[in-house]
Amino acid sequence: MANVVVVGAQWGDEGKGKIVDWLSERADIVARFQGGHNAGHTLVIDGVTYKLSLLPSGIVRGGKLSVIGNGVVLDPWALFTEIAKLAAQGVSVTPENLLIAENTPLILPIHGELDRARESQTAVSKIGTTGRGIGPAYEDKVGRRAIRVADLADEATLDLRLDRLMTHHNALRAGLGLDPVDRADLKAKLMEIAPQVLPFAAPVWKTLTEARRAGKRILFEGAQGSLLDVDFGTYPYVTSSNTTAGMAASGTGLGPTAIDFVLGIVKAYTTRVGEGPFPTELFDADGDRLGSRGHEFGTVTGRKRRCGWFDAVLVRQTCATSGVSGIALTKLDVLDGFDTLKICTGYELDGKVYDYLPTAASLQARVTPVYEEVEGWHESTAGARSWADLPAAAIKYVKRIEELIQCPVALLSTSPERDDTILVTDPFAD
């Protein structure tokens, strides 16, 4: 049976939550493979809105197994806060429908403290982190001093991990003018939360391998967007993990041969939260109109998103780095009513036209977009569920995007409601 990876193909906030929910009806397992609770998904199901940060989107669907993979960094306190919020909405989260990889690194309170201290004291331009400790937690993972889920089951191992962690963090904190870590308090908090976390712990790689052999369908859910990838994003204004599709394999313990289809989620225009280059950003009435009509505020941070025209150069680039099989184009209805739309087809820099975004940050900051103008439409596309429901100009816009990004549209989303979706290619088709 086909297994599908869903990744954002821009800077995040492309509408992955709805698409994953739409696909999860046909999946048996939904697995998160990177990021932390800095990610945000908004689902609208039968008029009820669910806001998720850490839990896989499939958790709101009965009969599905949700998985948090080892590529995620897990804040256990944030996890149980989110579980409690869902419980208040009638969604039960138990070890029967949620598994956490035993080798998942933990985000500790000291990670958030370090994150916020760095961002507030930096003498250079800010990265624009959420301040939730995701970056420092990944640093500890790579530095081989992280506390992982399995460590909570053995106090002796936990003590060794804490000792190693204190040596590193207390030196950092001294340099930032922070007090040393209260080791006893941190250990007490971990010992207190351990009985809540450990029932969910499992060898996820083994569970997924057995499920795949049994013919189960697995949906791999990415967080953020490919342009925030620590290697291929607009560095240093990126997240701390790999957000491209390849991470689905290493972030869950399955090999790359387990991936049959990569679905890239793409907004019909472009948005970005936080700092960093944004070639097509608009500072005029059109940008305000996109933000207002698209309700462009971050799910997790509440920050206003920067808005701009569709950037075909960047999407073509991320389709290549993630090996995208087809895209899901979202929020087409936000463009209703524009007389003219613009699509970025290249960048001009020092008299040269680029068909990709240069790697050097100094060049990224100076590129200017080369635009192609296309006809807009005044009919409504909201709620369309077939090509016949779309204005001719809207269809032309979608087809032109396909040509420019060199990747077909597999799904077209025309509202936050999951059923307002036009299926072109079934990602789960064998």
Side-chain angles (χ1 to χ4, degrees), residues 73-392:
V73 283
L74 175 73
D75 182 326
W77 298 276
L79 171 67
F80 288 104
T81 296
E82 191 169 324
I83 287 174
K85 287 181 180 178
L86 284 182
Q89 293 184 280
V91 178
S92 177
V93 180
T94 71
E96 299 301 313
N97 62 356
L98 175 68
L99 296 181
I100 302 171
E102 296 172 319
N103 50 341
T104 300
L106 298 181
I107 300 175
L108 308 176
I110 59 174
H111 292 130
E113 292 169 8
L114 179 60
D115 205 356
R116 293 185 292 273
R118 283 173 170 171
E119 192 77 352
S120 65
Q121 297 183 25
T122 181
V124 294
S125 57
K126 296 180 183 299
I127 298 298
T129 75
T130 61
R132 300 191 173 205
I134 281 79
Y138 274 117
E139 290 176 36
D140 282 343
K141 173 183 177 177
V142 175
R144 292 163 294 184
R145 55 183 170 266
I147 293 173
R148 306 197 296 181
V149 170
D151 299 331
L152 298 178
D154 179 49
E155 187 174 353
T157 298
L158 182 60
D159 278 325
L160 290 173
R161 298 286 187 268
L162 283 169
D163 288 343
R164 185 173 175 85
L165 203 62
M166 295 306 98
T167 300
H168 178 78
H169 276 265
N170 282 334
L172 283 178
R173 293 169 72 92
L176 290 166
L178 300 177
D179 292 333
V181 177
D182 186 334
R183 184 190 186 282
D185 180 65
L186 178 56
K187 180 181 176 181
K189 288 177 178 176
L190 288 168
M191 295 299 289
E192 181 182 15
I193 198 79
Q196 294 177 258
V197 177
L198 289 172
F200 294 90
V204 159
W205 66 269
K206 186 173 184 293
T207 301
L208 293 178
T209 298
E210 291 170 353
R212 185 186 174 211
R213 288 174 178 166
K216 303 291 186 181
R217 286 174 166 166
I218 304 170
L219 185 61
F220 299 92
E221 178 182 9
Q224 291 106 13
S226 297
L227 292 171
L228 294 174
D229 185 270
V230 70
D231 288 312
F232 292 101
T234 47
Y235 191 91
Y237 303 99
V238 294
T239 193
S240 302
S241 61
N242 287 110
T243 57
T244 48
M247 186 65 185
S250 59
T252 59
L254 282 179
T257 54
I259 299 170
D260 301 297
F261 193 100
V262 177
L263 183 68
I265 315 300
V266 178
K267 197 176 287 185
Y269 49 102
T270 311
T271 62
R272 178 167 197 170
V273 170
E275 308 296 325
F278 185 171
T280 66
E281 184 173 9
L282 296 171
F283 302 94
D284 57 11
D286 286 336
D288 291 339
R289 184 176 178 181
L290 290 172
S292 176
R293 294 202 61 189
H295 307 290
E296 296 298 350
F297 295 91
T299 301
V300 171
T301 63
R303 290 183 290 183
K304 183 179 180 181
R305 296 177 186 136
R306 301 153 63 189
C307 297
W309 295 120
F310 186 83
D311 193 328
V313 182
L314 286 179
V315 175
R316 181 172 63 244
Q317 193 165 320
T318 56
C319 283
T321 56
S322 267
V324 173
S325 311
I327 68 166
L329 191 66
T330 68
K331 290 200 168 184
L332 183 67
D333 55 303
V334 174
L335 301 181
D336 293 352
F338 281 90
D339 293 324
T340 303
L341 302 170
K342 293 182 180 181
I343 302 174
C344 176
T345 60
Y347 305 124
E348 193 277 330
L349 179 64
D350 299 331
K352 179 180 178 181
V353 176
Y354 288 77
D355 63 355
Y356 66 98
L357 185 66
T359 299
S362 60
L363 301 183
Q364 291 180 354
R366 294 196 299 114
V367 299
T368 57
V370 177
Y371 284 121
E372 174 182 305
E373 291 193 355
V374 297
E375 178 188 1
W377 57 89
H378 290 275
E379 305 94 323
S380 175
T381 62
R385 298 184 180 183
S386 72
W387 288 109
D389 296 332
L390 295 176

Side-chain angles (χ1 to χ4, degrees), residues 34-52:
Q34 50 77 219
H37 64 304
N38 54 340
H41 296 320
T42 300
L43 311 180
V44 180
I45 302 171
D46 297 329
V48 179
T49 299
Y50 301 93
K51 292 184 180 294
L52 305 177

